[in-house]
Amino acid sequence: MKTSVIAYPRIGKDRELKFASEKFFKGQITEDVLSATAYEIRKENLLKEKEAGISFISSNDFSFYDNVLDAAYLFNIIPKRYSLLGLSPLETYFAMARGYQGDKGNVKALAMKKWFNTNYHYIVPEIDDDTEIRLSGNKPIEEFKEARALGIDTKIDIIGPFTLLKLARYTGNKSSKDFAKALIISYAELFDKLYQEGAEWIQLDEPWLVRDLNEEDKELFREIYKSLLENKKSLKFLLQTYFGDIRDIYSQVCDMAFDGIGLDFIEGRRTLDLVKSKGFPKGKIIFAGLVNGKNIWKNDYSKTLHILTELKNYASDIVLNTSCSLLHVPYSLENETKLSEVYLKHMAFAQEKLQELSQISSLYDFSESANVKDHPIYKENQLLFQGRINSVDQEVRNRVNSIKEEDYTRLPDFSEREKLQKEKLGLPLFPTTSIGSFPQTQDVRQNRQKLRKGLISLEEYRDFNKKKIAECIKLQEEIGLDVLVHGEYERNDMVEYFGENLEGYIFTEKAWVQSYGTRCVKPPIIWGDVSRKKPITVFWSKYAKSCTNKPVKGMLTGPVTILNWSFPREDISIKESTLQIALAIRDEVLDLEANGIDIIQIDEAALREKLPLRKSDWYSEYLDWAIPAFRLVHSGVKPETQIHTHMCYSEFTDIIPAIDAMDADVITFEASRSDLQILDSLKENNFRTEVGPGVYDIHSPRVPSVDEIVNALNAMRDRIEDSKLWVNPDCGLKTRGETETKASLINLVKAARIIRDK
């Protein structure tokens, strides 16, 4: 059986691309040096896949920042504000991703959103009525030739035209169908050039097909591929889908002239049923996504082989595939030297998933002529699924089972709480605050590393952080913010930090996963039942409160985000895991309140990430327990205690009623990079919660002007009552520099005061 990998991680085994890119941004290295680093990463990835015996290896799965941005740039979908800067091609590319502020101009970055139901963020292409779509680059061609020079004939991985059009934002009067013809011509030109270079397979990623499709969507898809497949010459086209099933268009896809169809059998809950009920066309290859590209647990070979055996009855040619890109898992277990083999033997990162593909393929071939259960690899694999040590805590499970319906409801009603909180807190109109973290400077990271290496005592570590907190509080008072934060200097990551202080988690050393651009996260791993044994944040919040007479927010991460930004266990449901975490965070909320913290922020940045991609599944499979899980966290506090939450970089406009049902007192949103589009939805849905739409983008190094923020606030006031509007950045400031952070917050406060004075 042949094997395939949709795409491979690209940040580098030791985050080489991250560090090289950041040096390039600072002017410390040249484009040539950055490009050389990128080449070495691509080369290592290709050779690693070849060594593992992968039959279908992708090229063009590398990106300096984001693959969707690559596709937009390739087809000249470049807003004029970037092309007019007069920068080099690579600098223009990065200006679209990060914004630009320098001697050649000052522009904001393109919008950034979550990639379907993952924690990866893509750059949203922006198309105006004058956009001239045309092939304007050769990246796929060059990377195909580069791989061939290494002796590897690759399938070329490209974002499909349908998904590209659906992901784009249209700023004028035209829509996707108005640009389809130009995009078809541009893709056809690219295909012709690849054909001339001797390419055989082209992989077109069309994940949008797993969403709800209306007739207009289906017609657009048919129009695009009818044209593209009419003159494919000897090229073979693989239509690759992932993150779900394609039930809305399965039969039509099967009838089209694709040579291979990639289907997800992990998250595609109905994929197998579709194949069994509707069949699979003869002469086509099914690329069966059966090795999970989004979680780190070993594949259960018995289940995978069972599905492959069933598929054999419907498809004559099967290729074993990953369920999605391996971008969403860490590089290799080889980097993990401290975690016990007791745990490691249950895990497979990207490199180990290559081995799984190879082993499953061999076992499938073996099963054709012998009993696979006799194979030593099969036996070893099955031993892993006979139980996991230290994963069950009966006390935790009893507590979850004891949750009552009234535990999900906070009393009194929001409107009454709002009055009591305004009276107690005495905040001015348009109160100013930040989302939580302040810049994690080198000395902060070094202090944490020294503690971990045993070079300083816990007391020395705490004394350093207390000094940083005192400085942070003083800075915020000088700037004039109304509600202060402690800066989160003790936290490595908003999820990992809590995981380290909860029972049931295990941790890695270098299991980094790309979140966006150069930003990487190291998700903790949920191994067992989760509980809180002692307070986590109370010490730091109490100290910050002692440094000022102004209100200080307690800062927590919510249960849904902790679950979604961890690698969840697969032996119990994610609902049960989330409720366990919710009870642990509830204990922390009540401890903060008991220690005089009057404002508590419980971030749910990742609320949407496990939301099913089809609306019909939203409540039955997710929202009917995710929203109550959040309410469980805060339902026990007093009416006067103000509960905040924060959400960012996802599509929230269509779940506004569910967000309002979280029953927080204040919700802060990312809004700056999406031009405040979410505000119209808030108004349409009569959103009752107080709200702080981010007034500037913290993922860009540029400093917003006072006028820019004033204009944003005026736009907000058209849609939000003055009494409900908060003023804040759109996310935490951890990744920003100290100078730009201070300048930006000074301008934020000035803008708020201008509006307040009016």
Side-chain angles (χ1 to χ4, degrees):
M1 173 173 282
K2 291 183 177 179
T3 55
S4 175
V5 172
I6 291 175
Y8 207 68
R10 60 191 184 229
I11 201 70
K13 184 171 64 177
D14 293 308
R15 294 180 292 162
E16 294 90 345
L17 183 63
K18 166 187 170 65
F19 299 124
S21 297
E22 289 172 352
K23 286 180 180 178
F24 174 72
F25 299 153
K26 295 174 183 176
Q28 296 173 352
I29 62 172
T30 64
E31 283 190 24
D32 288 343
V33 174
L34 177 60
S35 296
T37 301
Y39 169 74
E40 290 301 323
I41 292 171
R42 293 194 297 269
K43 177 182 176 182
E44 182 177 357
N45 289 354
L46 290 166
L47 294 177
K48 185 68 68 176
E49 293 176 78
K50 180 182 180 182
E51 180 186 341
I54 303 302
S55 314
F56 291 88
I57 299 172
S58 291
S59 61
N60 197 48
D61 55 348
F62 173 84
S63 176
F64 278 111
Y65 205 94
D66 169 54
N67 285 111
V68 179
L69 177 62
D70 291 353
Y73 197 89
L74 178 67
F75 295 112
N76 198 47
I77 304 174
I78 305 172
K80 289 181 180 178
R81 62 184 180 275
Y82 302 107
S83 57
L84 293 176
L85 289 171
L87 302 171
S88 73
L90 186 59
E91 288 172 328
T92 301
Y93 171 91
F94 281 129
M96 294 167 69
R98 305 176 67 247
Y100 177 85
Q101 190 169 37
D103 55 0
K104 296 184 178 180
N106 186 347
V107 294
K108 293 198 298 183
L110 290 171
M112 183 166 65
K113 292 181 180 178
K114 292 289 177 70
W115 178 244
F116 293 85
N117 55 1
T118 75
N119 184 31
Y120 177 75
H121 304 65
Y122 74 95
I123 301 297
V124 181
E126 185 178 299
I127 302 178
D128 62 41
D129 287 351
D130 297 326
T131 298
E132 181 193 353
I133 293 179
R134 56 182 172 82
L135 182 64
S136 61
N138 59 358
K139 178 180 180 292
I141 300 165
E142 291 304 310
E143 292 187 15
F144 169 75
K145 291 164 64 177
E146 181 181 89
R148 174 166 280 183
L150 295 170
I152 303 170
D153 279 329
T154 57
K155 57 179 168 67
I156 299 95
D157 179 15
I158 307 168
I159 296 291
F162 175 70
T163 292
L164 182 60
L165 287 172
K166 295 299 292 184
L167 291 174
R169 177 180 169 228
Y170 299 87
T171 60
N173 296 317
K174 294 181 180 179
S175 64
S176 57
K177 61 183 180 181
D178 297 305
F179 294 95
K181 184 176 181 180
L183 196 59
I184 291 167
I185 292 170
S186 302
Y187 269 83
E189 183 181 350
L190 173 64
F191 296 159
D192 187 60
K193 290 187 175 184
L194 287 167
Y195 166 75
Q196 292 174 29
E197 292 293 341
E200 181 181 6
W201 278 92
I202 294 176
Q203 173 183 306
L204 292 159
D205 288 10
E206 291 287 10
W208 198 272
L209 294 181
V210 308
R211 304 183 76 121
D212 293 315
L213 302 179
N214 57 33
E215 288 306 316
E216 187 176 318
D217 292 329
K218 295 175 189 177
E219 182 55 39
L220 177 62
F221 179 81
R222 285 192 291 264
E223 175 191 345
I224 290 170
Y225 281 102
K226 183 177 183 297
S227 297
L228 288 176
L229 297 173
E230 275 180 345
N231 187 29
K232 61 181 187 174
K233 300 174 182 173
S234 63
L235 286 172
K236 296 178 180 178
F237 286 87
L238 164 60
L239 178 74
Q240 183 62 62
T241 67
Y242 36 84
F243 303 144
D245 59 65
I246 59 170
R247 70 188 77 152
D248 289 352
I249 201 168
Y250 177 81
S251 296
Q252 295 93 316
V253 164
C254 287
D255 289 339
M256 300 176 82
F258 294 108
D259 300 278
I261 301 173
L263 301 174
D264 183 352
F265 288 83
I266 301 295
E267 290 189 278
R269 293 178 180 86
R270 299 191 191 178
T271 299
L272 183 59
D273 289 338
L274 284 170
V275 175
K276 291 165 72 172
S277 63
K278 298 180 180 294
F280 191 81
K282 292 181 179 179
K284 288 181 171 51
I285 303 172
I286 185 168
F287 284 71
L290 283 161
V291 172
N292 195 334
K294 286 174 66 175
N295 211 343
I296 49 85
W297 304 110
K298 282 277 182 70
N299 187 288
D300 185 338
Y301 291 174
S302 67
K303 293 181 179 178
T304 300
L305 289 169
H306 176 74
I307 294 173
L308 288 172
T309 301
E310 285 202 76
L311 283 178
K312 186 170 60 173
N313 297 319
Y314 303 93
S316 57
D317 199 346
I318 305 171
V319 171
L320 179 65
N321 202 7
T322 56
S323 66
C324 62
S325 168
L326 298 181
L327 168 76
H328 308 292
V329 294
Y331 256 80
S332 173
L333 286 171
E334 289 178 357
N335 294 326
E336 304 306 320
T337 62
K338 295 180 180 179
L339 201 56
S340 167
E341 179 62 23
V342 168
Y343 303 115
L344 290 176
K345 68 182 181 181
H346 290 271
M347 299 178 196
F349 293 175
Q351 186 171 308
E352 290 71 36
K353 289 181 187 293
L354 300 181
Q355 183 184 43
E356 288 192 321
L357 288 164
S358 176
Q359 289 184 345
I360 297 168
S361 170
S362 297
L363 289 172
Y364 179 85
D365 293 341
F366 179 84
S367 70
E368 297 281 83
S369 57
N371 188 344
V372 73
K373 293 181 180 180
D374 295 331
H375 199 291
I377 291 177
Y378 182 91
K379 290 179 179 179
E380 181 183 2
N381 176 265
Q382 290 306 286
L383 284 174
L384 294 172
F385 297 92
Q386 293 180 4
R388 300 171 0 150
I389 66 167
N390 302 325
S391 63
V392 176
D393 185 329
Q394 197 56 50
E395 185 178 339
V396 172
R397 298 196 174 192
N398 291 342
R399 192 177 177 197
V400 170
N401 292 333
S402 299
I403 296 171
K404 303 180 184 65
E405 193 61 35
E406 54 264 33
D407 293 330
Y408 295 115
T409 303
R410 185 181 176 195
L411 297 174
D413 183 75
F414 169 79
S415 58
E416 187 175 341
R417 299 198 311 262
E418 188 177 30
K419 295 174 187 175
L420 293 171
Q421 290 163 16
K422 286 186 181 297
E423 182 179 341
K424 179 176 182 178
L425 295 172
L427 297 171
L429 203 60
F430 313 116
T432 56
T433 189
S434 72
I435 299 304
S437 58
F438 264 63
Q440 291 262 324
T441 49
Q442 186 174 3
D443 60 337
V444 173
R445 294 192 295 271
Q446 287 176 342
N447 183 53
R448 190 180 303 123
Q449 290 168 0
K450 287 178 182 178
L451 178 69
R452 287 187 169 177
K453 293 178 179 179
L455 301 176
I456 59 174
S457 67
L458 179 61
E459 185 177 0
E460 289 174 307
Y461 170 78
R462 286 182 169 177
D463 286 343
F464 174 89
N465 280 341
K466 286 167 72 174
K467 180 173 177 289
K468 296 295 292 189
I469 289 170
E471 292 172 354
C472 183
I473 293 291
K474 183 180 178 183
L475 173 64
Q476 292 173 84
E477 288 183 326
E478 291 173 353
I479 290 172
L481 290 167
D482 299 307
V483 175
L484 314 186
V485 296
H486 77 282
E488 302 180 14
Y489 298 107
E490 78 285 2
R491 304 184 191 186
N492 45 11
D493 175 83
M494 65 182 289
V495 171
E496 186 176 14
Y497 173 73
F498 284 92
E500 288 174 343
N501 288 279
L502 294 170
E503 299 293 321
Y505 271 87
I506 56 176
F507 302 92
T508 59
E509 292 173 82
K510 296 182 178 181
W512 296 102
V513 177
Q514 188 175 10
S515 178
Y516 67 86
T518 63
R519 167 73 169 151
C520 296
V521 294
K522 188 154 58 72
I525 298 167
I526 303 177
W527 173 263
D529 294 332
V530 178
S531 62
R532 188 198 75 144
K533 299 302 183 186
K534 61 182 180 179
I536 302 170
T537 66
V538 175
F539 175 84
W540 305 110
S541 294
K542 278 181 66 179
Y543 178 73
K545 181 176 171 60
S546 73
C547 296
T548 182
N549 292 321
K550 287 190 171 186
V552 175
K553 287 192 287 189
M555 304 300 303
L556 305 174
T557 305
V560 179
T561 295
I562 291 177
L563 186 285
N564 285 348
W565 284 356
S566 302
F567 288 119
R569 57 197 290 195
E570 295 179 336
D571 58 326
I572 66 173
S573 70
I574 59 172
K575 174 184 176 180
E576 185 172 351
S577 278
T578 305
L579 289 175
Q580 292 177 1
I581 298 167
L583 289 171
I585 302 301
R586 177 187 174 96
D587 292 342
E588 187 73 13
V589 168
L590 294 175
D591 273 351
L592 284 170
E593 183 184 60
N595 281 275
I597 306 301
D598 299 322
I599 303 177
I600 303 171
Q601 181 171 309
I602 309 163
D603 289 340
E604 285 292 15
L607 175 70
R608 193 184 175 110
E609 278 180 27
K610 282 191 168 53
L611 184 75
L613 295 173
R614 296 179 182 278
K615 291 184 179 181
S616 57
D617 300 331
W618 282 0
Y619 282 90
S620 61
E621 296 185 11
Y622 185 69
L623 291 176
D624 64 346
W625 60 261
I627 299 301
F630 180 84
R631 294 202 304 264
L632 178 65
V633 170
H634 68 77
S635 63
V637 301
K638 296 178 290 189
E640 295 84 2
T641 299
Q642 191 173 72
I643 298 295
H644 291 223
T645 190
H646 172 68
M647 300 176 183
C648 56
Y649 298 103
S650 284
E651 300 263 10
F652 291 117
T653 54
D654 48 6
I655 59 168
I656 293 299
I659 293 172
D660 215 7
M662 293 169 72
D663 203 23
D665 300 305
V666 180
I667 294 183
T668 51
F669 287 101
E670 178 278 321
S672 61
R673 283 178 82 151
S674 54
D675 291 340
L676 310 177
Q677 291 175 318
I678 195 171
L679 302 186
D680 291 324
S681 294
L682 297 180
K683 186 174 182 179
E684 289 168 9
N685 286 278
N686 298 312
F687 197 71
R688 62 175 185 167
T689 312
E690 294 185 19
V691 61
V695 296
Y696 77 91
D697 172 29
I698 67 87
H699 293 81
S700 169
R702 63 184 295 277
V703 176
S705 68
V706 174
D707 287 344
E708 181 181 321
I709 298 175
V710 167
N711 291 336
L713 287 171
N714 281 327
M716 293 173 188
R717 292 180 64 213
D718 289 339
R719 301 164 176 86
I720 300 170
E721 295 176 27
D722 287 352
S723 62
K724 291 183 178 290
L725 181 58
W726 286 65
V727 183
N728 46 262
D730 68 2
C731 207
L733 302 166
K734 174 182 177 180
T735 60
R736 297 273 53 90
E738 291 181 296
T739 301
E740 70 204 49
T741 291
K742 182 177 179 180
S744 297
L745 290 177
I746 286 172
N747 287 354
L748 180 149
V749 170
K750 285 181 179 178
R753 286 176 176 171
I754 288 171
I755 300 293
R756 195 180 293 159
D757 290 343
K758 286 183 179 180

